[in-house]
Amino acid sequence: GAVVSQHPSRVICKSGTSVKIECRSLDFQATTMFWYRQFPKKSLMLMATSNEGSKATYEQGVEKDKFLINHASLTLSTLTVTSAHPEDSSFYICSARDYRAPGMNTGELFFGEGSRLTVL
Amino acid sequence: AQSVAQPEDQVNVAEGNPLTVKCTYSVSGNPYLFWYVQYPNRGLQFLLKYITGDNLVKGSYGFEAEFNKSQTSFHLKKPSALVSDSALYFCAVRDSSGGSYIPTFGRGTSLIVHP
């Protein structure tokens, strides 16, 4: 099956610094990747859709300048949390769809392992 | 528009007993339905999906789900729960007639299996 790798799994940073999280599709090409934020009460919030070679599409209420997303290749998308603050501490999860798979248009997604960000 | 509801925040079951995690959905067209499982501090893992065909879908780790169109439900089931099944379970739906291919996720249900 399709494998999505996310790195780092855990990161601790000081307030005001920037942190980059990488999401890679290892055995397939992902024209589209998705970034989610998971809050302590479990729910997943879709932050943005990352499109290869073009600008990301952000969901309402998500700050584009705070959460920079780059999808420079068919296998890599990055999320940079700029000038991080303690309220940005969260679990960030990326996912991708395999555009060549039979289930491409059904909505089936493949998820990374998540990245736990702690901002001190 | 598409939406999905997981009415239970938490489900408790004794090991060896059958388990059910509920999911209901709302779509305009036909639904594509999914169940994912999440273990602590991990990403989501795919369990099973319903696209078309048989209403009873079998998935990973002995889980199955039944698509019920009249009740707009897609409950996750397992005949005999294991302690290792304790995790967070997400139901997701995508409307086949919708313009977006992005599924909508439920808020998640914590399954706790007691020894």
Side-chain angles (χ1 to χ4, degrees):
Chain A
V3 178
V4 176
S5 173
Q6 197 171 332
H7 177 82
S9 57
R10 293 177 182 271
V11 58
I12 301 173
C13 69
K14 293 182 179 179
S15 186
T17 62
S18 295
V19 173
K20 181 184 286 187
I21 300 170
E22 293 186 346
C23 180
R24 293 181 185 272
S25 56
L26 297 186
D27 53 357
F28 69 101
Q29 294 179 324
T31 54
T32 306
M33 290 184 173
F34 306 93
W35 287 95
Y36 290 85
R37 181 173 178 176
Q38 187 170 30
F39 294 92
K41 295 233 173 192
K42 307 174 304 186
S43 62
L44 292 171
M45 182 191 82
L46 178 64
M47 299 174 65
T49 302
S50 168
N51 301 297
E52 187 268 337
S54 64
K55 291 183 178 180
T57 303
Y58 289 82
E59 296 298 305
Q60 192 173 10
V62 177
E63 298 177 63
K64 301 177 183 182
D65 296 332
K66 159 69 80 175
F67 300 101
L68 298 178
I69 291 172
N70 182 272
H71 194 155
S73 77
L74 284 172
T75 59
L76 174 64
S77 176
T78 60
L79 167 68
T80 301
V81 182
T82 62
S83 187
H85 291 286
E87 58 266 29
D88 299 324
S89 298
S90 194
F91 194 58
Y92 294 89
I93 310 174
C94 72
S95 68
R97 63 179 195 142
D98 183 348
Y99 81 102
R100 294 174 303 177
M104 175 192 74
N105 291 322
T106 63
E108 181 175 355
L109 299 178
F110 302 95
F111 285 83
E113 288 295 296
S115 299
R116 173 73 61 190
L117 170 63
T118 303
V119 185
L120 303 177
Chain B
Q2 59 192 31
S3 66
V4 62
Q6 292 181 243
E8 302 153 317
D9 208 41
Q10 183 172 302
V11 170
N12 292 279
V13 65
E15 187 174 32
N17 283 0
L19 69 87
T20 299
V21 182
K22 295 180 180 177
C23 172
T24 58
Y25 66 89
S26 176
V27 293
S28 301
N30 292 316
Y32 298 141
L33 293 154
F34 307 87
W35 275 103
Y36 293 86
V37 60
Q38 183 183 29
Y39 298 100
N41 293 307
R42 305 291 294 276
L44 277 66
Q45 295 178 33
F46 171 80
L47 272 181
L48 51 79
K49 64 183 177 183
Y50 171 83
I51 305 300
T52 187
D54 289 342
N55 290 342
L56 184 62
V57 179
K58 293 188 183 296
S60 307
Y61 313 120
F63 284 93
E64 59 188 29
E66 186 166 12
F67 170 62
N68 188 316
K69 189 171 184 177
S70 62
Q71 297 185 6
T72 62
S73 67
F74 190 57
H75 301 331
L76 181 70
K77 300 183 179 184
K78 187 173 182 181
S80 179
L82 300 172
V83 172
S84 58
D85 292 329
S86 298
L88 186 56
Y89 291 81
F90 288 96
C91 181
V93 67
R94 195 212 143 209
D95 190 338
S96 65
S97 66
S100 172
Y101 48 76
I102 304 174
T104 297
F105 284 82
R107 62 178 187 169
T109 299
S110 291
L111 173 66
I112 300 175
V113 181
H114 302 278

PDB file of all heavy atoms in Angstrom, chain B residues 32-50:
ATOM      1  N   TYR B  32     -19.076   7.478  -0.325  1.00  0.00           N
ATOM      2  CA  TYR B  32     -17.874   6.677  -0.171  1.00  0.00           C
ATOM      3  C   TYR B  32     -17.542   6.785   1.314  1.00  0.00           C
ATOM      4  O   TYR B  32     -17.373   7.883   1.827  1.00  0.00           O
ATOM      5  CB  TYR B  32     -16.726   7.220  -1.007  1.00  0.00           C
ATOM      6  CG  TYR B  32     -16.971   7.212  -2.498  1.00  0.00           C
ATOM      7  CD1 TYR B  32     -16.533   8.273  -3.294  1.00  0.00           C
ATOM      8  CD2 TYR B  32     -17.614   6.147  -3.122  1.00  0.00           C
ATOM      9  CE1 TYR B  32     -16.740   8.274  -4.670  1.00  0.00           C
ATOM     10  CE2 TYR B  32     -17.831   6.150  -4.495  1.00  0.00           C
ATOM     11  CZ  TYR B  32     -17.397   7.220  -5.268  1.00  0.00           C
ATOM     12  OH  TYR B  32     -17.597   7.221  -6.623  1.00  0.00           O
ATOM     13  N   LEU B  33     -17.432   5.644   1.979  1.00  0.00           N
ATOM     14  CA  LEU B  33     -17.295   5.638   3.428  1.00  0.00           C
ATOM     15  C   LEU B  33     -16.009   4.950   3.853  1.00  0.00           C
ATOM     16  O   LEU B  33     -15.608   3.947   3.257  1.00  0.00           O
ATOM     17  CB  LEU B  33     -18.496   4.932   4.057  1.00  0.00           C
ATOM     18  CG  LEU B  33     -19.820   5.667   3.874  1.00  0.00           C
ATOM     19  CD1 LEU B  33     -20.994   4.706   3.930  1.00  0.00           C
ATOM     20  CD2 LEU B  33     -19.978   6.747   4.952  1.00  0.00           C
ATOM     21  N   PHE B  34     -15.405   5.465   4.909  1.00  0.00           N
ATOM     22  CA  PHE B  34     -14.116   4.954   5.367  1.00  0.00           C
ATOM     23  C   PHE B  34     -14.084   4.885   6.891  1.00  0.00           C
ATOM     24  O   PHE B  34     -14.725   5.684   7.569  1.00  0.00           O
ATOM     25  CB  PHE B  34     -12.971   5.882   4.917  1.00  0.00           C
ATOM     26  CG  PHE B  34     -12.961   6.174   3.455  1.00  0.00           C
ATOM     27  CD1 PHE B  34     -13.696   7.230   2.935  1.00  0.00           C
ATOM     28  CD2 PHE B  34     -12.214   5.387   2.586  1.00  0.00           C
ATOM     29  CE1 PHE B  34     -13.695   7.501   1.578  1.00  0.00           C
ATOM     30  CE2 PHE B  34     -12.208   5.658   1.224  1.00  0.00           C
ATOM     31  CZ  PHE B  34     -12.952   6.710   0.724  1.00  0.00           C
ATOM     32  N   TRP B  35     -13.306   3.937   7.381  1.00  0.00           N
ATOM     33  CA  TRP B  35     -12.941   3.904   8.794  1.00  0.00           C
ATOM     34  C   TRP B  35     -11.423   3.895   8.901  1.00  0.00           C
ATOM     35  O   TRP B  35     -10.737   3.159   8.177  1.00  0.00           O
ATOM     36  CB  TRP B  35     -13.489   2.656   9.491  1.00  0.00           C
ATOM     37  CG  TRP B  35     -14.896   2.794   9.977  1.00  0.00           C
ATOM     38  CD1 TRP B  35     -16.028   2.283   9.406  1.00  0.00           C
ATOM     39  CD2 TRP B  35     -15.335   3.484  11.157  1.00  0.00           C
ATOM     40  NE1 TRP B  35     -17.131   2.623  10.152  1.00  0.00           N
ATOM     41  CE2 TRP B  35     -16.736   3.352  11.226  1.00  0.00           C
ATOM     42  CE3 TRP B  35     -14.671   4.195  12.159  1.00  0.00           C
ATOM     43  CZ2 TRP B  35     -17.499   3.903  12.269  1.00  0.00           C
ATOM     44  CZ3 TRP B  35     -15.422   4.739  13.188  1.00  0.00           C
ATOM     45  CH2 TRP B  35     -16.808   4.596  13.235  1.00  0.00           C
ATOM     46  N   TYR B  36     -10.938   4.740   9.817  1.00  0.00           N
ATOM     47  CA  TYR B  36      -9.521   4.796  10.122  1.00  0.00           C
ATOM     48  C   TYR B  36      -9.341   4.599  11.620  1.00  0.00           C
ATOM     49  O   TYR B  36     -10.221   4.941  12.417  1.00  0.00           O
ATOM     50  CB  TYR B  36      -8.934   6.162   9.739  1.00  0.00           C
ATOM     51  CG  TYR B  36      -8.907   6.455   8.254  1.00  0.00           C
ATOM     52  CD1 TYR B  36     -10.007   7.009   7.611  1.00  0.00           C
ATOM     53  CD2 TYR B  36      -7.769   6.193   7.501  1.00  0.00           C
ATOM     54  CE1 TYR B  36      -9.983   7.292   6.259  1.00  0.00           C
ATOM     55  CE2 TYR B  36      -7.727   6.477   6.145  1.00  0.00           C
ATOM     56  CZ  TYR B  36      -8.839   7.019   5.533  1.00  0.00           C
ATOM     57  OH  TYR B  36      -8.802   7.296   4.187  1.00  0.00           O
ATOM     58  N   VAL B  37      -8.177   4.089  11.997  1.00  0.00           N
ATOM     59  CA  VAL B  37      -7.841   3.926  13.411  1.00  0.00           C
ATOM     60  C   VAL B  37      -6.576   4.718  13.714  1.00  0.00           C
ATOM     61  O   VAL B  37      -5.677   4.798  12.873  1.00  0.00           O
ATOM     62  CB  VAL B  37      -7.660   2.439  13.780  1.00  0.00           C
ATOM     63  CG1 VAL B  37      -6.538   1.782  12.986  1.00  0.00           C
ATOM     64  CG2 VAL B  37      -7.383   2.282  15.280  1.00  0.00           C
ATOM     65  N   GLN B  38      -6.548   5.312  14.903  1.00  0.00           N
ATOM     66  CA  GLN B  38      -5.370   6.066  15.316  1.00  0.00           C
ATOM     67  C   GLN B  38      -4.930   5.604  16.704  1.00  0.00           C
ATOM     68  O   GLN B  38      -5.697   5.669  17.658  1.00  0.00           O
ATOM     69  CB  GLN B  38      -5.665   7.566  15.344  1.00  0.00           C
ATOM     70  CG  GLN B  38      -4.449   8.412  15.690  1.00  0.00           C
ATOM     71  CD  GLN B  38      -4.751   9.890  15.799  1.00  0.00           C
ATOM     72  OE1 GLN B  38      -5.862  10.285  16.147  1.00  0.00           O
ATOM     73  NE2 GLN B  38      -3.773  10.723  15.496  1.00  0.00           N
ATOM     74  N   TYR B  39      -3.682   5.164  16.780  1.00  0.00           N
ATOM     75  CA  TYR B  39      -3.083   4.820  18.063  1.00  0.00           C
ATOM     76  C   TYR B  39      -2.392   6.062  18.618  1.00  0.00           C
ATOM     77  O   TYR B  39      -2.073   6.984  17.859  1.00  0.00           O
ATOM     78  CB  TYR B  39      -2.136   3.637  17.904  1.00  0.00           C
ATOM     79  CG  TYR B  39      -2.861   2.397  17.433  1.00  0.00           C
ATOM     80  CD1 TYR B  39      -2.833   2.016  16.092  1.00  0.00           C
ATOM     81  CD2 TYR B  39      -3.608   1.623  18.323  1.00  0.00           C
ATOM     82  CE1 TYR B  39      -3.518   0.901  15.656  1.00  0.00           C
ATOM     83  CE2 TYR B  39      -4.294   0.510  17.891  1.00  0.00           C
ATOM     84  CZ  TYR B  39      -4.249   0.155  16.555  1.00  0.00           C
ATOM     85  OH  TYR B  39      -4.944  -0.946  16.124  1.00  0.00           O
ATOM     86  N   PRO B  40      -2.151   6.109  19.924  1.00  0.00           N
ATOM     87  CA  PRO B  40      -1.591   7.327  20.538  1.00  0.00           C
ATOM     88  C   PRO B  40      -0.335   7.828  19.844  1.00  0.00           C
ATOM     89  O   PRO B  40       0.579   7.053  19.553  1.00  0.00           O
ATOM     90  CB  PRO B  40      -1.310   6.880  21.970  1.00  0.00           C
ATOM     91  CG  PRO B  40      -2.317   5.812  22.227  1.00  0.00           C
ATOM     92  CD  PRO B  40      -2.460   5.079  20.933  1.00  0.00           C
ATOM     93  N   ASN B  41      -0.335   9.098  19.570  1.00  0.00           N
ATOM     94  CA  ASN B  41       0.806   9.776  18.946  1.00  0.00           C
ATOM     95  C   ASN B  41       1.216   9.171  17.608  1.00  0.00           C
ATOM     96  O   ASN B  41       2.395   9.175  17.250  1.00  0.00           O
ATOM     97  CB  ASN B  41       2.009   9.793  19.902  1.00  0.00           C
ATOM     98  CG  ASN B  41       1.753  10.663  21.106  1.00  0.00           C
ATOM     99  OD1 ASN B  41       1.381  11.824  20.985  1.00  0.00           O
ATOM    100  ND2 ASN B  41       1.901  10.084  22.293  1.00  0.00           N
ATOM    101  N   ARG B  42       0.251   8.661  16.903  1.00  0.00           N
ATOM    102  CA  ARG B  42       0.495   8.113  15.580  1.00  0.00           C
ATOM    103  C   ARG B  42      -0.476   8.726  14.578  1.00  0.00           C
ATOM    104  O   ARG B  42      -1.461   9.352  14.944  1.00  0.00           O
ATOM    105  CB  ARG B  42       0.303   6.579  15.594  1.00  0.00           C
ATOM    106  CG  ARG B  42       1.133   5.838  16.609  1.00  0.00           C
ATOM    107  CD  ARG B  42       2.600   5.860  16.274  1.00  0.00           C
ATOM    108  NE  ARG B  42       2.916   5.142  15.065  1.00  0.00           N
ATOM    109  CZ  ARG B  42       3.114   3.832  15.004  1.00  0.00           C
ATOM    110  NH1 ARG B  42       3.023   3.085  16.078  1.00  0.00           N
ATOM    111  NH2 ARG B  42       3.411   3.269  13.855  1.00  0.00           N
ATOM    112  N   GLY B  43      -0.187   8.513  13.312  1.00  0.00           N
ATOM    113  CA  GLY B  43      -1.114   8.964  12.279  1.00  0.00           C
ATOM    114  C   GLY B  43      -2.295   8.009  12.168  1.00  0.00           C
ATOM    115  O   GLY B  43      -2.436   7.071  12.947  1.00  0.00           O
ATOM    116  N   LEU B  44      -3.166   8.278  11.197  1.00  0.00           N
ATOM    117  CA  LEU B  44      -4.336   7.430  10.992  1.00  0.00           C
ATOM    118  C   LEU B  44      -3.991   6.259  10.073  1.00  0.00           C
ATOM    119  O   LEU B  44      -3.296   6.430   9.069  1.00  0.00           O
ATOM    120  CB  LEU B  44      -5.475   8.239  10.365  1.00  0.00           C
ATOM    121  CG  LEU B  44      -6.342   9.073  11.309  1.00  0.00           C
ATOM    122  CD1 LEU B  44      -5.567  10.202  11.952  1.00  0.00           C
ATOM    123  CD2 LEU B  44      -7.556   9.618  10.568  1.00  0.00           C
ATOM    124  N   GLN B  45      -4.517   5.110  10.437  1.00  0.00           N
ATOM    125  CA  GLN B  45      -4.335   3.931   9.599  1.00  0.00           C
ATOM    126  C   GLN B  45      -5.677   3.521   8.999  1.00  0.00           C
ATOM    127  O   GLN B  45      -6.685   3.497   9.692  1.00  0.00           O
ATOM    128  CB  GLN B  45      -3.796   2.765  10.427  1.00  0.00           C
ATOM    129  CG  GLN B  45      -2.415   2.971  10.995  1.00  0.00           C
ATOM    130  CD  GLN B  45      -1.983   1.791  11.846  1.00  0.00           C
ATOM    131  OE1 GLN B  45      -2.353   0.652  11.561  1.00  0.00           O
ATOM    132  NE2 GLN B  45      -1.203   2.049  12.870  1.00  0.00           N
ATOM    133  N   PHE B  46      -5.646   3.184   7.745  1.00  0.00           N
ATOM    134  CA  PHE B  46      -6.847   2.768   7.032  1.00  0.00           C
ATOM    135  C   PHE B  46      -7.313   1.402   7.536  1.00  0.00           C
ATOM    136  O   PHE B  46      -6.519   0.473   7.696  1.00  0.00           O
ATOM    137  CB  PHE B  46      -6.529   2.698   5.542  1.00  0.00           C
ATOM    138  CG  PHE B  46      -7.613   2.085   4.701  1.00  0.00           C
ATOM    139  CD1 PHE B  46      -8.709   2.826   4.320  1.00  0.00           C
ATOM    140  CD2 PHE B  46      -7.516   0.773   4.281  1.00  0.00           C
ATOM    141  CE1 PHE B  46      -9.695   2.269   3.534  1.00  0.00           C
ATOM    142  CE2 PHE B  46      -8.492   0.201   3.495  1.00  0.00           C
ATOM    143  CZ  PHE B  46      -9.590   0.946   3.123  1.00  0.00           C
ATOM    144  N   LEU B  47      -8.602   1.281   7.817  1.00  0.00           N
ATOM    145  CA  LEU B  47      -9.181   0.003   8.244  1.00  0.00           C
ATOM    146  C   LEU B  47      -9.992  -0.646   7.139  1.00  0.00           C
ATOM    147  O   LEU B  47      -9.809  -1.822   6.839  1.00  0.00           O
ATOM    148  CB  LEU B  47     -10.102   0.225   9.450  1.00  0.00           C
ATOM    149  CG  LEU B  47      -9.489   0.190  10.847  1.00  0.00           C
ATOM    150  CD1 LEU B  47     -10.580   0.408  11.886  1.00  0.00           C
ATOM    151  CD2 LEU B  47      -8.741  -1.107  11.106  1.00  0.00           C
ATOM    152  N   LEU B  48     -10.926   0.113   6.600  1.00  0.00           N
ATOM    153  CA  LEU B  48     -11.792  -0.444   5.565  1.00  0.00           C
ATOM    154  C   LEU B  48     -12.551   0.677   4.873  1.00  0.00           C
ATOM    155  O   LEU B  48     -12.565   1.811   5.336  1.00  0.00           O
ATOM    156  CB  LEU B  48     -12.766  -1.470   6.148  1.00  0.00           C
ATOM    157  CG  LEU B  48     -13.587  -1.066   7.367  1.00  0.00           C
ATOM    158  CD1 LEU B  48     -14.774  -0.210   7.013  1.00  0.00           C
ATOM    159  CD2 LEU B  48     -14.057  -2.321   8.118  1.00  0.00           C
ATOM    160  N   LYS B  49     -13.180   0.309   3.762  1.00  0.00           N
ATOM    161  CA  LYS B  49     -13.954   1.296   3.017  1.00  0.00           C
ATOM    162  C   LYS B  49     -15.136   0.635   2.326  1.00  0.00           C
ATOM    163  O   LYS B  49     -15.113  -0.569   2.014  1.00  0.00           O
ATOM    164  CB  LYS B  49     -13.081   1.986   1.962  1.00  0.00           C
ATOM    165  CG  LYS B  49     -12.564   1.046   0.878  1.00  0.00           C
ATOM    166  CD  LYS B  49     -11.656   1.782  -0.098  1.00  0.00           C
ATOM    167  CE  LYS B  49     -11.080   0.810  -1.130  1.00  0.00           C
ATOM    168  NZ  LYS B  49     -10.128   1.509  -2.037  1.00  0.00           N
ATOM    169  N   TYR B  50     -16.149   1.443   2.088  1.00  0.00           N
ATOM    170  CA  TYR B  50     -17.275   1.038   1.259  1.00  0.00           C
ATOM    171  C   TYR B  50     -17.336   2.000   0.078  1.00  0.00           C
ATOM    172  O   TYR B  50     -17.447   3.219   0.263  1.00  0.00           O
ATOM    173  CB  TYR B  50     -18.603   1.075   2.023  1.00  0.00           C
ATOM    174  CG  TYR B  50     -19.776   0.866   1.108  1.00  0.00           C
ATOM    175  CD1 TYR B  50     -20.172  -0.418   0.730  1.00  0.00           C
ATOM    176  CD2 TYR B  50     -20.465   1.950   0.568  1.00  0.00           C
ATOM    177  CE1 TYR B  50     -21.219  -0.608  -0.140  1.00  0.00           C
ATOM    178  CE2 TYR B  50     -21.519   1.771  -0.310  1.00  0.00           C
ATOM    179  CZ  TYR B  50     -21.883   0.488  -0.667  1.00  0.00           C
ATOM    180  OH  TYR B  50     -22.927   0.303  -1.553  1.00  0.00           O
TER     181      TYR B  50
END
